[in-house]
């Protein structure tokens, strides 16, 4: 495998420039004659715009344009749209309303963009926004997910009186009902999974530039899907050929799914640039981000599990409500709502299952995929339900899980929800190793030691599985230069995962080149021919396979050239460690030498096209299923409600591990985001006014390093045969297991005090109040 090949813990090649401050984030980009944009956003959760006066703002110093929805309508800008064929309960088509770009007649959440000011400086743009006079007529609002579908709830859209966009069902209801009818035990529970926000290192930004000479738009943005942004802008917004739009993505300061492709600011800065004839730059401020960006999670679930007398699972029924905010602009806003349902059975052999989803509107920003995109919610529901079953029925929670795990002999295993096809894995072995690695056997002694110090100690165990790397093509190109160096062009977009290192390692493994001889390029739709982008733990699995395919094509052509140069038969040439050789002789050529010769027609076989550049495009036949066992231990101070994470361990199966160091970084980051949600993170609204109560870090609690313990990780890969790398994906695995493992540990600690039901976040005040409420009963 070599020093830099697959399986080596190579330090990230991109780190030196990033640590020196030499990264190129969207806010680092400045264009000639650049102007600045700032938005006027709604202070109301729901209100009619009865009048808007922009005269004073237009006359303010430095102002170049003040734009409202009337201008959007006059220029006939398009919108995104929903394509998935979903229906309401009565069989009618789903109800959806895309965001028009700027609020049209009514604002529907705090932060809804109302007007756009473009000025010579940012300060002048801000000053002018303050001069815009808007008259609002406040309307009733609804932000709480459970309240959205209650009779009499405020209507987000007048023409949609029940606030329901659509429903979605999966599984076999009749079979599930029959299983419950025959069950010896039925356990029912209600769970609330809070709304959270990605809180990336760099808030979003966009710079739009229109070149009238060739009628072409260029967008600089920190998005995860450059080509999809280009296609959306061309096809849906401006209705022009894709060749008239270029999207450039540099370094992205965190994405986590939230920096998707449909934000209105992208189209508006391009549109404004065309109107004023100069580039327009907008950079979201931290105080603006939570009002303007998509949120994550926000699900409530009523779940029930049917068991026989021996504790074998017979059936599962789950009803969920997913809050998608005020606007349903594209399929993206729906992905996390239904994408999670298939994973509700987890790694357990449940013969019959049925899931029913209600997608509801509220007066809040749209929700969309956030690290895990529904899979953390699904595993949270099934693992909490199993834990509740063990407690209510007096069964051992570990043995109950072991008894119901899908055995390797049943793989491939088609689940009863959505027909997911678990192709490979060893779930019992992963759990056994997880219990040993987390030293569950020693928990009782640690619990006793905590009690001596007056603290409660709890243990949480969660078996996680996620649906990753779904079908969808990804592109790679290897382009050699006349000097023998290569450029690797990728359709995926890095946001801190270490793509440059990972993809180079795969290319090095195949081609035996030095890292310094490979240049990495992504994020420019003019340079990279195609790309689906980065989401769903797909980059290594699909993009890495595309690199493998391109490299193999390079080797095929280069072998022909080497055979010609060495005056040998092609069959007599071997390639290893970057060299073409004739076994048994000292005659050989390096790949670099062959690449140079590829551009000299007189050195090539007759009829061969000069040059050495190949592409690979891969689309898998089905999803992969990374899985793992998470073990968490917490201490709780019953006098203060303070929760401390004391121990955390993960045994994972993400298939072939390309870089163990980067894998651990991905797992660490995912676990941290899951623990943050359980312990403290929550987007909060006032239920009466709909006002956002957590718009800054003063109110939205973010975890620090001190909130975590060491996170121990061990890999036990079972490579998949669905791609030549054997990789399954890892980017979201940590979050999928962390939500249930941490919450189960907290509930285990609180159980002796009589706390049986508790929902995230486990902030000290909420834990303390739960303890006080339970003490009389205890």
């Amino acid at each position: 495998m070599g020093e830099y090949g697959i399986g080596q813990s190579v330090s990230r090649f991109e780190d030196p420039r990033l640590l020196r401050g030499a990264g190129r984030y969207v806010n680092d980009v400045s264009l000639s004659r650049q102007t600045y944009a700032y938005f006027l956003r709604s202070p109301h959760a729901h209100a009619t715009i009865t009048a808007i006066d922009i005269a004073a703002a237009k006359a303010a110093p430095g102002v170049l344009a003040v734009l409202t929805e009337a201008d959007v309508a006059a220029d006939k800008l398009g919108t995104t749209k929903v394509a998935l064929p979903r229906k309401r309960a009565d069989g009618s088509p789903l109800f959806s309303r895309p965001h028009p770009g700027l609020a049209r007649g009514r604002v529907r959440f705090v932060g809804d963009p109302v007007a756009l000011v473009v000025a010579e400086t940012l300060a002048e743009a801000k000053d002018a926004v303050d001069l815009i006079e808007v008259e609002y007529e406040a309307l009733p609002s609804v932000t709480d997910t459970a309240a959205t579908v209650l009779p009499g709830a405020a209507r987000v859209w007048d023409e949609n009186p029940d606030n329901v966009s659509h429903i979605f069902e999966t599984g076999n209801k009749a079979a599930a009902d029959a299983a419950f009818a025959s069950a010896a035990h039925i356990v029912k529970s209600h769970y609330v999974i809070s709304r959270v926000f990605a809180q990336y290192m760099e808030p979003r930004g966009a710079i739009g530039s229109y070149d009238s000479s060739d009628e072409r738009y260029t967008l600089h943005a920190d998005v995860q899907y450059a080509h999809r942004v280009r296609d959306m802008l061309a096809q849906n917004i401006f209705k022009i050929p894709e060749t008239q739009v270029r999207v450039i993505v540099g370094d992205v300061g965190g994405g986590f799914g939230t920096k998707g492709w449909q934000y209105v600011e992208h189209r508006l800065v391009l549109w404004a640039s065309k109107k004023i004839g100069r580039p327009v730059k907008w950079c979201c401020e931290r105080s603006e981000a939570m009002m303007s960006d998509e949120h994550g999670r926000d699900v409530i679930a009523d779940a029930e599990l049917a068991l026989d007398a021996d504790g074998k699972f017979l059936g599962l029924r789950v009803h969920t409500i997913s809050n998608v905010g005020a606007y349903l602009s594209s399929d993206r806003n729906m992905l996390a709502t239904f994408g999670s349902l298939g994973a509700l059975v987890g790694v357990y052999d449940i013969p019959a299952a049925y899931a029913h989803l209600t997608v509801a509107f509220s007066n809040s920003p749209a929700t969309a995929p956030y690290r895990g995109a529904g899979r953390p919610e699904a595993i949270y529901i099934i693992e909490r339900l199993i834990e509740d079953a063990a407690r209510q029925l007096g069964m051992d929670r570990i043995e109950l899980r072991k008894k119901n795990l899908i055995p390797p002999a049943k793989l491939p295993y088609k689940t009863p929800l959505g027909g997911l096809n678990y192709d490979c894995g060893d779930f019992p072995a992963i759990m056994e190793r997880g219990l040993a690695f987390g030293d569950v056997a020693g928990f009782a002694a640690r619990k006793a030691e905590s009690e001596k110090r007056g603290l409660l100690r709890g243990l949480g165990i969660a078996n996680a599985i996620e649906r990753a790397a779904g079908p969808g093509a990804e592109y790679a190109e290897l382009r050699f230069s006349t000097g023998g160096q290569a450029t690797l062009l990728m359709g995926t977009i890095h946001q801190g995962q270490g793509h440059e290192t990972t993809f180079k390692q795969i290319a090095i493994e195949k081609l035996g080149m030095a890292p310094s001889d490979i240049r990495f390029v992504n994020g420019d739709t003019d340079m990279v021919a195609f790309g689906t982008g980065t989401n769903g733990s797909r980059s290594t699995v699909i993009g890495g396979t595309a690199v493998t395919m391109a490299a193999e094509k390079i080797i095929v052509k280069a072998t022909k050239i080497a055979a010609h140069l060495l005056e040998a038969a092609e069959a007599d040439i071997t390639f290893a460690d970057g060299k073409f050789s004739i076994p048994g002789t000292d005659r050989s050529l390096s790949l670099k030498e062959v690449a140079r010769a590829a551009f000299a027609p007189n050195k090539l076989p007759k009829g061969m096209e000069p040059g050495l550049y190949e592409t690979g495009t891969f689309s898998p036949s089905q999803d992969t299923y990374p899985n793992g066992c998470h073990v968490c231990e917490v201490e709780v101070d019953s006098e203060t409600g303070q929760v401390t994470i004391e121990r955390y361990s993960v045994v994972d199966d993400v298939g072939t591990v390309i870089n163990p160091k980067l894998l651990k970084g991905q797992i660490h980051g995912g676990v941290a985001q899951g623990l943050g949600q359980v312990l403290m993170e929550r987007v909060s609204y006032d239920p009466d006014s709909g006002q956002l109560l957590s718009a800054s870090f003063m109110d939205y609690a973010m975890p620090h390093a001190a909130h975590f313990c060491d996170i121990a990780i061990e890999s036990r890969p079972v490579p998949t045969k669905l791609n030549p790398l054997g990789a399954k994906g890892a980017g979201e695995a940590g979050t999928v297991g962390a939500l249930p493992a941490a919450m189960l540990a907290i509930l285990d600690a609180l159980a002796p005090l009589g706390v049986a039901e508790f929902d995230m976040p486990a902030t000290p005040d909420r834990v303390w109040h739960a303890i006080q409420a339970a003490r009389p009963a205890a």
Side-chain angles (χ1 to χ4, degrees), residues 201-444:
M201 182 178 72
E202 182 191 41
R204 291 188 303 113
I207 305 172
S209 178
Y210 179 75
D211 186 341
S212 59
S213 65
D214 60 0
E215 299 182 329
R216 198 158 190 257
Y217 296 93
T218 298
L219 175 71
H220 295 262
D222 50 349
V223 297
Q224 296 178 224
Y225 326 122
H227 291 82
R228 278 195 268 178
V229 171
R230 178 198 65 184
D231 296 349
M232 178 271 295
L233 291 168
Q235 297 169 8
N236 298 103
I237 306 303
F238 299 115
K239 299 177 177 61
I240 56 178
E242 286 88 346
T243 51
Q244 287 180 242
V245 180
R246 180 186 186 186
V247 176
I248 302 173
V249 182
D251 290 311
V252 178
F256 313 119
T258 305
K259 287 185 178 175
W261 57 266
Q262 65 182 25
Y263 285 109
V264 298
E265 292 88 359
H266 300 149
R267 71 190 77 161
L268 295 177
V269 294
L270 291 170
W271 170 60
S273 174
K274 183 177 181 180
K275 293 184 80 69
I276 69 170
R278 292 171 61 182
V280 176
K281 181 174 186 175
W282 170 77
C283 285
C284 186
E285 297 184 352
R286 184 69 66 179
S287 60
E288 185 183 14
M290 202 176 302
M291 295 191 295
S292 65
D293 295 7
E294 293 166 333
H295 295 167
R297 315 286 190 234
D298 207 344
V299 176
I300 59 176
D302 289 290
E304 49 186 341
L305 183 66
L307 306 89
D308 69 12
D310 295 325
K312 285 289 290 181
F313 300 159
L314 301 176
L316 174 71
R317 293 189 298 216
V318 181
H319 286 72
T320 63
I321 301 175
S322 287
N323 183 342
V324 291
Y327 297 91
L328 184 54
S329 296
S330 77
D331 295 349
R332 169 177 166 75
N333 298 127
M334 299 159 56
L335 291 178
T337 66
F338 71 87
S340 65
L341 300 182
L344 281 167
V345 296
V347 294
Y348 303 102
D349 189 6
I350 304 178
Y354 167 72
H356 182 285
L357 160 70
T358 299
V359 175
F361 291 103
S362 72
N363 293 110
S364 61
T367 52
Y370 166 66
R371 201 165 192 169
R375 285 96 77 194
E377 296 95 305
I379 300 304
Y380 181 84
I381 291 167
I382 186 60
E383 289 293 328
R384 278 207 62 176
L385 192 55
I386 293 171
E387 196 86 357
D388 286 346
R391 290 193 187 283
Q392 292 180 30
L393 303 178
M395 298 179 176
D396 182 274
R397 54 183 170 165
I398 294 176
E399 292 308 313
L400 183 60
R401 285 178 168 85
K402 287 183 177 180
K403 181 180 292 189
N404 288 284
L405 288 170
I406 299 167
K410 279 198 172 185
L411 296 175
Y413 180 92
K414 186 159 284 191
T415 71
L417 289 176
L420 305 188
N421 187 31
Y422 297 171
D423 65 299
C424 67
D426 192 339
F427 309 138
I430 288 289
M431 183 175 178
E432 285 290 353
R433 182 54 194 157
L435 297 175
F437 190 56
D439 189 23
V440 172
F443 171 71

Side-chain angles (χ1 to χ4, degrees), residues 474-489:
E474 200 52 75
Y475 173 89
E477 179 180 356
L478 277 162
R479 186 186 301 168
F480 278 80
S481 68
T482 55
Q485 293 80 26
T487 298
L488 174 59
L489 301 101

Side-chain angles (χ1 to χ4, degrees), residues 23 144 148 194 196 222 242 252 370 449 459 463 500 544 556 559 568 678 724:
D144 178 73
T148 58
S194 54
V196 291
D222 50 349
E242 286 88 346
V252 178
Y370 166 66
E449 192 277 331
L459 172 70
N463 292 315
E500 179 177 346
V556 168
T559 299
V678 168

Side-chain angles (χ1 to χ4, degrees), residues 61-77:
V63 171
L64 301 170
V66 180
L67 304 170
T68 67
E69 195 280 326
D71 301 295
V72 173
D75 287 357
K76 298 180 179 179
L77 287 190

Side-chain angles (χ1 to χ4, degrees), residues 158-203:
D158 290 345
E159 59 271 40
N160 188 43
D162 61 3
N163 286 330
V164 173
S165 164
H166 62 278
I167 66 165
F168 181 74
E169 298 172 284
T170 185
N172 187 321
K173 187 177 187 301
D177 289 345
F180 275 82
S182 66
H185 306 290
I186 295 175
V187 177
K188 301 180 180 180
S189 291
H190 175 81
Y191 308 120
V192 177
I193 301 168
S194 54
R195 176 176 283 235
V196 291
F197 180 59
Q199 300 291 12
Y200 12 70
M201 182 178 72
E202 182 191 41

